[in-house]
Structures are given as C-alpha cells and as structure tokens.
PDB file of all heavy atoms in Angstrom:
ATOM      1  N   SER A 140     112.096 240.498 109.844  1.00  0.00           N
ATOM      2  CA  SER A 140     112.069 241.720 110.636  1.00  0.00           C
ATOM      3  C   SER A 140     113.479 242.072 111.065  1.00  0.00           C
ATOM      4  O   SER A 140     114.385 241.239 110.999  1.00  0.00           O
ATOM      5  CB  SER A 140     111.174 241.542 111.871  1.00  0.00           C
ATOM      6  OG  SER A 140     111.652 240.503 112.689  1.00  0.00           O
ATOM      7  N   GLY A 141     113.669 243.311 111.439  1.00  0.00           N
ATOM      8  CA  GLY A 141     114.953 243.733 111.968  1.00  0.00           C
ATOM      9  C   GLY A 141     115.825 244.518 111.009  1.00  0.00           C
ATOM     10  O   GLY A 141     116.875 245.027 111.398  1.00  0.00           O
ATOM     11  N   ARG A 142     115.401 244.585 109.760  1.00  0.00           N
ATOM     12  CA  ARG A 142     116.146 245.396 108.799  1.00  0.00           C
ATOM     13  C   ARG A 142     115.224 245.668 107.607  1.00  0.00           C
ATOM     14  O   ARG A 142     114.107 245.157 107.544  1.00  0.00           O
ATOM     15  CB  ARG A 142     117.427 244.703 108.346  1.00  0.00           C
ATOM     16  CG  ARG A 142     117.207 243.444 107.549  1.00  0.00           C
ATOM     17  CD  ARG A 142     118.516 242.803 107.159  1.00  0.00           C
ATOM     18  NE  ARG A 142     118.298 241.736 106.188  1.00  0.00           N
ATOM     19  CZ  ARG A 142     119.241 240.944 105.729  1.00  0.00           C
ATOM     20  NH1 ARG A 142     120.498 241.092 106.154  1.00  0.00           N
ATOM     21  NH2 ARG A 142     118.965 240.008 104.839  1.00  0.00           N
ATOM     22  N   THR A 143     115.718 246.449 106.644  1.00  0.00           N
ATOM     23  CA  THR A 143     114.903 246.821 105.489  1.00  0.00           C
ATOM     24  C   THR A 143     114.783 245.642 104.536  1.00  0.00           C
ATOM     25  O   THR A 143     115.723 245.308 103.812  1.00  0.00           O
ATOM     26  CB  THR A 143     115.509 248.036 104.770  1.00  0.00           C
ATOM     27  OG1 THR A 143     115.659 249.119 105.696  1.00  0.00           O
ATOM     28  CG2 THR A 143     114.612 248.482 103.630  1.00  0.00           C
ATOM     29  N   PHE A 144     113.622 245.027 104.545  1.00  0.00           N
ATOM     30  CA  PHE A 144     113.407 243.797 103.785  1.00  0.00           C
ATOM     31  C   PHE A 144     113.714 243.954 102.312  1.00  0.00           C
ATOM     32  O   PHE A 144     114.346 243.090 101.695  1.00  0.00           O
ATOM     33  CB  PHE A 144     111.942 243.366 103.973  1.00  0.00           C
ATOM     34  CG  PHE A 144     111.548 242.136 103.215  1.00  0.00           C
ATOM     35  CD1 PHE A 144     111.932 240.887 103.675  1.00  0.00           C
ATOM     36  CD2 PHE A 144     110.792 242.226 102.057  1.00  0.00           C
ATOM     37  CE1 PHE A 144     111.565 239.738 102.985  1.00  0.00           C
ATOM     38  CE2 PHE A 144     110.426 241.090 101.358  1.00  0.00           C
ATOM     39  CZ  PHE A 144     110.819 239.844 101.825  1.00  0.00           C
ATOM     40  N   SER A 145     113.303 245.040 101.727  1.00  0.00           N
ATOM     41  CA  SER A 145     113.423 245.213 100.271  1.00  0.00           C
ATOM     42  C   SER A 145     114.867 245.353  99.799  1.00  0.00           C
ATOM     43  O   SER A 145     115.131 245.291  98.596  1.00  0.00           O
ATOM     44  CB  SER A 145     112.621 246.440  99.834  1.00  0.00           C
ATOM     45  OG  SER A 145     113.096 247.613 100.466  1.00  0.00           O
ATOM     46  N   SER A 146     115.788 245.525 100.721  1.00  0.00           N
ATOM     47  CA  SER A 146     117.189 245.756 100.356  1.00  0.00           C
ATOM     48  C   SER A 146     118.000 244.478 100.218  1.00  0.00           C
ATOM     49  O   SER A 146     119.196 244.541  99.919  1.00  0.00           O
ATOM     50  CB  SER A 146     117.855 246.661 101.396  1.00  0.00           C
ATOM     51  OG  SER A 146     117.264 247.946 101.398  1.00  0.00           O
ATOM     52  N   TYR A 147     117.377 243.330 100.427  1.00  0.00           N
ATOM     53  CA  TYR A 147     118.120 242.071 100.451  1.00  0.00           C
ATOM     54  C   TYR A 147     117.422 240.988  99.642  1.00  0.00           C
ATOM     55  O   TYR A 147     116.184 240.925  99.593  1.00  0.00           O
ATOM     56  CB  TYR A 147     118.305 241.583 101.884  1.00  0.00           C
ATOM     57  CG  TYR A 147     119.122 242.526 102.725  1.00  0.00           C
ATOM     58  CD1 TYR A 147     118.518 243.587 103.395  1.00  0.00           C
ATOM     59  CD2 TYR A 147     120.501 242.376 102.835  1.00  0.00           C
ATOM     60  CE1 TYR A 147     119.260 244.467 104.149  1.00  0.00           C
ATOM     61  CE2 TYR A 147     121.249 243.254 103.605  1.00  0.00           C
ATOM     62  CZ  TYR A 147     120.626 244.297 104.240  1.00  0.00           C
ATOM     63  OH  TYR A 147     121.369 245.165 104.989  1.00  0.00           O
ATOM     64  N   ALA A 148     118.256 240.119  99.060  1.00  0.00           N
ATOM     65  CA  ALA A 148     117.726 238.926  98.415  1.00  0.00           C
ATOM     66  C   ALA A 148     117.196 237.965  99.463  1.00  0.00           C
ATOM     67  O   ALA A 148     117.573 238.021 100.637  1.00  0.00           O
ATOM     68  CB  ALA A 148     118.826 238.260  97.596  1.00  0.00           C
ATOM     69  N   MET A 149     116.322 237.061  99.006  1.00  0.00           N
ATOM     70  CA  MET A 149     115.744 236.064  99.890  1.00  0.00           C
ATOM     71  C   MET A 149     115.761 234.704  99.195  1.00  0.00           C
ATOM     72  O   MET A 149     115.777 234.638  97.949  1.00  0.00           O
ATOM     73  CB  MET A 149     114.301 236.423 100.238  1.00  0.00           C
ATOM     74  CG  MET A 149     114.107 237.745 100.959  1.00  0.00           C
ATOM     75  SD  MET A 149     114.857 237.767 102.598  1.00  0.00           S
ATOM     76  CE  MET A 149     113.915 236.471 103.427  1.00  0.00           C
ATOM     77  N   ALA A 150     115.731 233.657  99.975  1.00  0.00           N
ATOM     78  CA  ALA A 150     115.793 232.316  99.388  1.00  0.00           C
ATOM     79  C   ALA A 150     115.100 231.294 100.282  1.00  0.00           C
ATOM     80  O   ALA A 150     114.869 231.533 101.467  1.00  0.00           O
ATOM     81  CB  ALA A 150     117.251 231.907  99.174  1.00  0.00           C
ATOM     82  N   TRP A 151     114.805 230.172  99.653  1.00  0.00           N
ATOM     83  CA  TRP A 151     114.330 228.982 100.364  1.00  0.00           C
ATOM     84  C   TRP A 151     115.310 227.842 100.117  1.00  0.00           C
ATOM     85  O   TRP A 151     115.723 227.603  98.971  1.00  0.00           O
ATOM     86  CB  TRP A 151     112.943 228.580  99.885  1.00  0.00           C
ATOM     87  CG  TRP A 151     111.852 229.494 100.320  1.00  0.00           C
ATOM     88  CD1 TRP A 151     111.322 230.541  99.612  1.00  0.00           C
ATOM     89  CD2 TRP A 151     111.153 229.462 101.559  1.00  0.00           C
ATOM     90  NE1 TRP A 151     110.334 231.154 100.351  1.00  0.00           N
ATOM     91  CE2 TRP A 151     110.206 230.505 101.548  1.00  0.00           C
ATOM     92  CE3 TRP A 151     111.214 228.629 102.681  1.00  0.00           C
ATOM     93  CZ2 TRP A 151     109.345 230.750 102.612  1.00  0.00           C
ATOM     94  CZ3 TRP A 151     110.369 228.874 103.734  1.00  0.00           C
ATOM     95  CH2 TRP A 151     109.434 229.921 103.706  1.00  0.00           C
ATOM     96  N   PHE A 152     115.661 227.167 101.196  1.00  0.00           N
ATOM     97  CA  PHE A 152     116.458 225.961 101.146  1.00  0.00           C
ATOM     98  C   PHE A 152     115.616 224.828 101.720  1.00  0.00           C
ATOM     99  O   PHE A 152     114.611 225.057 102.395  1.00  0.00           O
ATOM    100  CB  PHE A 152     117.725 226.101 102.000  1.00  0.00           C
ATOM    101  CG  PHE A 152     118.780 227.002 101.426  1.00  0.00           C
ATOM    102  CD1 PHE A 152     118.607 228.377 101.384  1.00  0.00           C
ATOM    103  CD2 PHE A 152     119.966 226.478 100.948  1.00  0.00           C
ATOM    104  CE1 PHE A 152     119.585 229.215 100.868  1.00  0.00           C
ATOM    105  CE2 PHE A 152     120.952 227.303 100.436  1.00  0.00           C
ATOM    106  CZ  PHE A 152     120.767 228.673 100.402  1.00  0.00           C
ATOM    107  N   ARG A 153     116.057 223.598 101.488  1.00  0.00           N
ATOM    108  CA  ARG A 153     115.410 222.463 102.143  1.00  0.00           C
ATOM    109  C   ARG A 153     116.456 221.415 102.493  1.00  0.00           C
ATOM    110  O   ARG A 153     117.494 221.307 101.835  1.00  0.00           O
ATOM    111  CB  ARG A 153     114.316 221.857 101.277  1.00  0.00           C
ATOM    112  CG  ARG A 153     114.787 221.122 100.030  1.00  0.00           C
ATOM    113  CD  ARG A 153     113.588 220.628  99.239  1.00  0.00           C
ATOM    114  NE  ARG A 153     113.984 219.856  98.062  1.00  0.00           N
ATOM    115  CZ  ARG A 153     113.116 219.372  97.173  1.00  0.00           C
ATOM    116  NH1 ARG A 153     111.805 219.579  97.314  1.00  0.00           N
ATOM    117  NH2 ARG A 153     113.551 218.670  96.141  1.00  0.00           N
ATOM    118  N   GLN A 154     116.136 220.675 103.553  1.00  0.00           N
ATOM    119  CA  GLN A 154     117.029 219.612 104.003  1.00  0.00           C
ATOM    120  C   GLN A 154     116.201 218.394 104.349  1.00  0.00           C
ATOM    121  O   GLN A 154     115.391 218.424 105.285  1.00  0.00           O
ATOM    122  CB  GLN A 154     117.861 220.060 105.205  1.00  0.00           C
ATOM    123  CG  GLN A 154     118.916 219.058 105.615  1.00  0.00           C
ATOM    124  CD  GLN A 154     119.902 219.636 106.613  1.00  0.00           C
ATOM    125  OE1 GLN A 154     119.616 220.605 107.319  1.00  0.00           O
ATOM    126  NE2 GLN A 154     121.085 219.058 106.674  1.00  0.00           N
ATOM    127  N   ALA A 155     116.412 217.337 103.593  1.00  0.00           N
ATOM    128  CA  ALA A 155     115.765 216.061 103.868  1.00  0.00           C
ATOM    129  C   ALA A 155     116.623 215.266 104.846  1.00  0.00           C
ATOM    130  O   ALA A 155     117.829 215.511 104.963  1.00  0.00           O
ATOM    131  CB  ALA A 155     115.576 215.286 102.558  1.00  0.00           C
ATOM    132  N   PRO A 156     116.027 214.323 105.548  1.00  0.00           N
ATOM    133  CA  PRO A 156     116.786 213.525 106.519  1.00  0.00           C
ATOM    134  C   PRO A 156     117.997 212.858 105.883  1.00  0.00           C
ATOM    135  O   PRO A 156     117.899 212.222 104.829  1.00  0.00           O
ATOM    136  CB  PRO A 156     115.766 212.489 106.991  1.00  0.00           C
ATOM    137  CG  PRO A 156     114.449 213.138 106.780  1.00  0.00           C
ATOM    138  CD  PRO A 156     114.598 213.963 105.542  1.00  0.00           C
ATOM    139  N   GLY A 157     119.152 213.039 106.504  1.00  0.00           N
ATOM    140  CA  GLY A 157     120.368 212.412 106.028  1.00  0.00           C
ATOM    141  C   GLY A 157     120.988 213.058 104.811  1.00  0.00           C
ATOM    142  O   GLY A 157     121.957 212.533 104.258  1.00  0.00           O
ATOM    143  N   LYS A 158     120.452 214.206 104.397  1.00  0.00           N
ATOM    144  CA  LYS A 158     120.967 214.876 103.202  1.00  0.00           C
ATOM    145  C   LYS A 158     121.425 216.291 103.546  1.00  0.00           C
ATOM    146  O   LYS A 158     121.109 216.829 104.596  1.00  0.00           O
ATOM    147  CB  LYS A 158     119.906 214.907 102.108  1.00  0.00           C
ATOM    148  CG  LYS A 158     119.510 213.530 101.610  1.00  0.00           C
ATOM    149  CD  LYS A 158     118.621 213.616 100.403  1.00  0.00           C
ATOM    150  CE  LYS A 158     118.279 212.243  99.859  1.00  0.00           C
ATOM    151  NZ  LYS A 158     117.403 212.318  98.655  1.00  0.00           N
ATOM    152  N   GLU A 159     122.154 216.885 102.621  1.00  0.00           N
ATOM    153  CA  GLU A 159     122.626 218.250 102.807  1.00  0.00           C
ATOM    154  C   GLU A 159     121.486 219.245 102.571  1.00  0.00           C
ATOM    155  O   GLU A 159     120.487 218.934 101.935  1.00  0.00           O
ATOM    156  CB  GLU A 159     123.774 218.538 101.844  1.00  0.00           C
ATOM    157  CG  GLU A 159     125.016 217.718 102.104  1.00  0.00           C
ATOM    158  CD  GLU A 159     126.169 218.113 101.202  1.00  0.00           C
ATOM    159  OE1 GLU A 159     125.946 218.915 100.274  1.00  0.00           O
ATOM    160  OE2 GLU A 159     127.285 217.626 101.427  1.00  0.00           O
ATOM    161  N   ARG A 160     121.680 220.446 103.077  1.00  0.00           N
ATOM    162  CA  ARG A 160     120.728 221.524 102.838  1.00  0.00           C
ATOM    163  C   ARG A 160     120.965 222.078 101.434  1.00  0.00           C
ATOM    164  O   ARG A 160     122.085 222.472 101.101  1.00  0.00           O
ATOM    165  CB  ARG A 160     120.904 222.616 103.884  1.00  0.00           C
ATOM    166  CG  ARG A 160     119.832 223.663 103.863  1.00  0.00           C
ATOM    167  CD  ARG A 160     120.018 224.667 104.991  1.00  0.00           C
ATOM    168  NE  ARG A 160     119.953 224.035 106.301  1.00  0.00           N
ATOM    169  CZ  ARG A 160     119.956 224.722 107.438  1.00  0.00           C
ATOM    170  NH1 ARG A 160     120.012 226.054 107.413  1.00  0.00           N
ATOM    171  NH2 ARG A 160     119.896 224.101 108.590  1.00  0.00           N
ATOM    172  N   ASP A 161     119.927 222.097 100.636  1.00  0.00           N
ATOM    173  CA  ASP A 161     120.044 222.519  99.245  1.00  0.00           C
ATOM    174  C   ASP A 161     119.221 223.771  98.971  1.00  0.00           C
ATOM    175  O   ASP A 161     118.123 223.942  99.513  1.00  0.00           O
ATOM    176  CB  ASP A 161     119.553 221.412  98.308  1.00  0.00           C
ATOM    177  CG  ASP A 161     120.448 220.186  98.326  1.00  0.00           C
ATOM    178  OD1 ASP A 161     121.671 220.347  98.472  1.00  0.00           O
ATOM    179  OD2 ASP A 161     119.910 219.071  98.206  1.00  0.00           O
ATOM    180  N   LEU A 162     119.731 224.594  98.072  1.00  0.00           N
ATOM    181  CA  LEU A 162     118.999 225.779  97.639  1.00  0.00           C
ATOM    182  C   LEU A 162     117.847 225.355  96.724  1.00  0.00           C
ATOM    183  O   LEU A 162     118.052 224.652  95.735  1.00  0.00           O
ATOM    184  CB  LEU A 162     119.938 226.731  96.903  1.00  0.00           C
ATOM    185  CG  LEU A 162     119.316 228.001  96.323  1.00  0.00           C
ATOM    186  CD1 LEU A 162     118.676 228.863  97.402  1.00  0.00           C
ATOM    187  CD2 LEU A 162     120.377 228.801  95.554  1.00  0.00           C
ATOM    188  N   VAL A 163     116.660 225.793  97.077  1.00  0.00           N
ATOM    189  CA  VAL A 163     115.458 225.467  96.307  1.00  0.00           C
ATOM    190  C   VAL A 163     115.138 226.580  95.317  1.00  0.00           C
ATOM    191  O   VAL A 163     114.947 226.337  94.132  1.00  0.00           O
ATOM    192  CB  VAL A 163     114.267 225.257  97.256  1.00  0.00           C
ATOM    193  CG1 VAL A 163     112.957 225.140  96.489  1.00  0.00           C
ATOM    194  CG2 VAL A 163     114.494 224.036  98.130  1.00  0.00           C
ATOM    195  N   ALA A 164     115.077 227.801  95.831  1.00  0.00           N
ATOM    196  CA  ALA A 164     114.709 228.947  95.007  1.00  0.00           C
ATOM    197  C   ALA A 164     115.186 230.217  95.685  1.00  0.00           C
ATOM    198  O   ALA A 164     115.332 230.253  96.909  1.00  0.00           O
ATOM    199  CB  ALA A 164     113.198 229.014  94.796  1.00  0.00           C
ATOM    200  N   ALA A 165     115.422 231.240  94.884  1.00  0.00           N
ATOM    201  CA  ALA A 165     115.872 232.513  95.426  1.00  0.00           C
ATOM    202  C   ALA A 165     115.320 233.656  94.578  1.00  0.00           C
ATOM    203  O   ALA A 165     115.017 233.475  93.385  1.00  0.00           O
ATOM    204  CB  ALA A 165     117.398 232.576  95.450  1.00  0.00           C
TER     205      ALA A 165
END
C-alpha cells in the first residue's frame, strides 16, 4: 500500500539464522 503497486517490481528474500538475506524470487 502507499503507491501504485503495478508500477514496481516485487521480490521475496529469505534469511536463515546466522546467514545473509538472499533473494529467492522476483
């Protein structure tokens, strides 16, 4: 919310304990 959703890419990241945040899908 807060802006025009369709105008921007979106992604999912994940972070496991003790690990870096990684890009999962976009």
Side-chain angles (χ1 to χ4, degrees):
S140 60
R142 66 181 191 185
T143 304
F144 178 77
S145 60
S146 295
Y147 297 87
M149 299 295 297
W151 288 95
F152 287 71
R153 70 182 183 183
Q154 187 168 23
K158 296 188 177 180
E159 295 185 352
R160 189 176 299 187
D161 293 325
L162 177 60
V163 171

